Amino acid sequence: MSAAAAADSGFVPAFPERYERRLPLIRLIRTLRENSIGTWTREAFERDIIVYRFGFRPVVVANHPDLIRHVMLDNAASYERDPVGKRLLEPGLGQGLLTSEGAVWKRQRRMMAPIFQPRRLSGFAAIMTERSTALADRLSRQPSDQPVDMAREMMLLTLDIIAQTMFGADTTTDVSTVGGAMDRYQATVRPNIPDLLGLPRWVPRPSVREGQAALAGMDAIIRDLIRRRRDRAAAGGDLGGDLLGLLLAAEDDEGGSRLDDREVRDQMATFFLAGHETTATALAWIWYLLAHAPAVEAKLRAELAAVLGGRPAEYGDYDKLAYTRMVVEEAMRLYPPAHTTARLAMADDRFGDLEMPAGTNVIISPWLMHRHRLYWPQPDVFDPENFAPERVAARRRYIYLPFGAGPRICIGQGFAMIEAVLILATLAQRLHCRMVPGSIVQPVGKITLRPTPGLPMTIESRRQ
């Protein structure tokens, strides 16, 4: 263990109780609906493959990196995203990159890829730095004895950033309505009992209507934005250089087709959830971890002082902030925002001696893999040195999956990493954050892995 981790080794980052045996069915379903990471037994963090049945469906928990590669890469064409996850997301995200399959997904991926090339990211980075600096200015004036919910502050910051990058050319957009809609969606959408039991699609699922209702205000705003942009282009204007403009201008290089209004809406909703919620959650956990790890925080501050010298971080600093990136990566190991995914076998498959008939649900959980006893020497210790280059080179692939893997790896991972590093660097050199004494924070797995009930912290400015 590193010197920094050793100095802070009395701190054990929070995690839910790990049970000795599987919960009874009714309690299991109730827990899944409230906190999906709160159902795992100890053996899930110790065994490489677990097989059982849930309702009418065979289930395989894939904790073996070669099995994960098999399902997500080598034989990915034989698997689709599991129906429970799709039915949770489709009411809000429609047929976006996270929920579409087959030829539809391939076309979308081809059309989206140019939007996230490095030449685009450098322009988005300027927005990230500008908004982070504004937040640092505001929080540095915060009375040191007045608590701030840093989880909420990170949500508001990434909301501001994604709104600027998505539709910055329309400065009158009601961003709070969009953000509030996403918050209601997160609170409303949870696994349905019919889905968990594998019952047919015709069985009613109330959360579908609730999820659609939660996003009604956001949909109205997005439809209006799309209409105005198309009208402007028809009158001889441009579509704009933000994400909305890039989506409207995107062409499929295999046929030249463009996205229709519904497809643009679905991609915007997807980008909003993935580009706002996940990064904010990761940043919130970083502040929680740093508040309990003074030696790590000191090493982080030393790098920031050497590289930045007090100025805000910029796109060109990203490659120089090696330890800052390690802190971000380690936080996402302990608290992966996208904590669980699953694949449904569409045909009979086999991995070694393991038979996976069509209909098998294969669970791939970064929450399990990132804290697994077989792959990490001290899985519950906060140690950014886990991501030192020599350790990364020596580690097996497919045991660290914060952005997924295979063809469906997150298309926005470059955006997310740059955003997290620039925000952390800009804020950490100016703010000293500590947990309010007596605060208890627990990870709760909904769509993302949120710190619950929040992250109450006191803040001191480093510029006295």
Side-chain angles (χ1 to χ4, degrees), residues 5 12 35 299 315 381 429:
V12 178
N35 183 7
K299 187 170 182 178
Y315 180 74
V381 170
Q429 64 177 338

Side-chain angles (χ1 to χ4, degrees), residues 28 87 89 91 124 158 204 208 227 257 266 270 277 324 331 357 405-406 445:
L28 177 63
R87 288 174 199 163
L89 295 174
F124 296 149
T158 58
V208 172
R227 178 189 57 78
S257 64
D266 290 350
T270 298
E277 174 79 26
T324 308

Side-chain angles (χ1 to χ4, degrees), residues 113-131:
I115 295 175
F116 293 95
Q117 290 178 348
R119 63 188 178 88
R120 301 286 188 193
L121 296 179
S122 62
F124 296 149
I127 297 172
M128 299 168 188
T129 296
E130 176 192 350
R131 304 320 302 160

